[in-house]
Amino acid sequence: MTVKLEESWLNLLHDQFEQPYFAKIKQKLVEEKAQGNTVYPPGPRIFAALDLCPVDKVKVVIIGQDPYHGPGQAHGLSFSVPFGIQPPPSLVNIYQELHNDLGITPPQHGNLEKWEQQGVLLLNASLTVRAYTANSHSQIGWQIFTDTIIQRLSKERENIVFMLWGSFAINKKNLVAPNRGHLILTAPHPSPLSAYRGFFGCKHFSKANEYLKSKGIEPIDWMP
C-alpha cells in the first residue's frame, strides 16, 4: 500500500509510515487480498477523511469505530456513505438529532463530504475492515495511527470541537492535548441500541457552532 496523503497530514505524520506497526498494517492488507477477502473502503479511499480536510482547516472531529462493512457503504469517512447508498441506522439517528437541534430536514442521502469540506474531520479509529466482519481490523495497528492523529492534531491546533459518541470514542478524550482551548462534547452512541440514552437531545451541533463563533471561527453549515 503506497501512502498517498494530503500534504499537511503527510508533514504531520510522515514518521509514522516508517514505523514497524505500519508495516504490519500493510502486511495484513496484502494478506487479506491474497486470501480472497474484500476489504473496505477501496484503497484510494482509506485516507479520504484526511485528504478532504487539511490540518489547518479542521474545526470539528467526530470519531467513529471502524468503516461500514457492507457492500458499497464505506468511503473513508466515519458515519458517512456514498450517494446512492441508504443511510445506515446510526446516521438516520444523527439526522434526527440534527433536526431536533437545528431544524434541519434530513436529506435522502448519507454522504457527509460537505461536512468534511467545511472542516469536520470524520475519523474512524480503524481505517479498514474486512467485508461483513465488524471490528475485524481493530487490532492490526490502525488505532496507533489514528491515536497519533488525535494527539498531534490537538497539539498543533487550537479551539477544535471533539464530538465523542459512545464509550469507545469517549475513551479517546485523554488523547486530546490540554491547554489548547479544545471543546470535548460526549454523548451515547447514535446507534439504535443507545441513542435514546442521551444522544437524542445532546445538541452537539448547536453547541459546536456556538463554541466556534465564540472563538471567531466560521460555524459549520450542518445541512449534509
Side-chain angles (χ1 to χ4, degrees):
M1 182 178 68
T2 302
V3 177
K4 295 181 179 179
L5 197 58
E6 188 277 330
E7 186 176 7
S8 65
W9 288 108
L10 200 56
N11 291 338
L12 191 68
L13 302 166
H14 65 92
D15 60 318
Q16 295 301 294
F17 305 117
E18 306 305 322
Q19 298 297 321
Y21 83 84
F22 208 87
K24 290 179 180 177
I25 294 174
K26 292 181 181 180
Q27 181 183 352
K28 177 63 177 178
L29 297 181
V30 169
E31 287 173 359
E32 290 276 31
K33 187 174 183 181
Q35 292 165 3
N37 295 323
T38 299
V39 171
Y40 297 127
R45 298 290 304 188
I46 290 174
F47 299 107
L50 304 179
D51 290 333
L52 288 172
C53 191
V55 171
D56 65 331
K57 303 295 185 186
V58 179
K59 301 177 183 179
V60 177
V61 178
I62 299 178
I63 297 173
Q65 197 155 345
D66 68 337
Y68 295 121
H69 53 82
Q73 291 181 306
H75 68 146
L77 315 179
S78 62
F79 297 102
S80 178
V81 291
F83 289 116
I85 300 294
Q86 190 74 17
S90 291
L91 183 53
V92 171
N93 286 340
I94 290 169
Y95 284 172
Q96 183 173 331
E97 176 58 21
L98 261 181
H99 181 261
N100 295 343
D101 187 7
L102 295 172
I104 292 173
T105 301
Q108 297 301 305
H109 67 83
N111 191 316
L112 303 180
E113 288 186 0
K114 184 182 165 192
W115 289 4
E116 275 266 344
Q117 290 161 355
Q118 295 180 78
V120 181
L121 180 64
L122 298 168
L123 182 68
N124 278 316
S126 297
L127 297 187
T128 59
V129 68
R130 187 188 313 125
Y132 308 111
T133 315
N135 292 321
S136 48
H137 289 178
S138 63
Q139 302 298 321
I140 72 170
W142 278 128
Q143 291 193 45
I144 302 172
F145 182 69
T146 55
D147 284 357
T148 302
I149 289 173
I150 297 166
Q151 290 170 321
R152 293 188 180 180
L153 174 66
S154 63
K155 285 179 182 176
E156 177 84 7
R157 295 283 317 285
E158 296 180 331
N159 305 326
I160 292 173
V161 180
F162 287 84
M163 294 186 183
L164 308 180
W165 301 335
S167 58
F168 177 85
I170 291 169
N171 285 335
K172 303 288 186 182
K173 67 181 180 182
N174 293 330
L175 299 171
V176 178
N179 307 316
R180 300 293 289 168
H182 303 306
L183 175 65
I184 298 176
L185 299 174
T186 64
H189 195 276
S191 159
L193 298 174
S194 55
Y196 288 94
R197 297 183 200 148
F199 178 77
F200 292 136
C202 70
K203 298 188 180 296
H204 280 188
F205 304 102
S206 59
K207 289 176 180 177
N209 276 355
E210 288 164 10
Y211 180 78
L212 293 172
K213 286 188 283 189
S214 78
K215 300 297 182 181
I217 300 168
E218 184 77 19
I220 304 296
D221 173 5
W222 289 107
M223 180 67 198

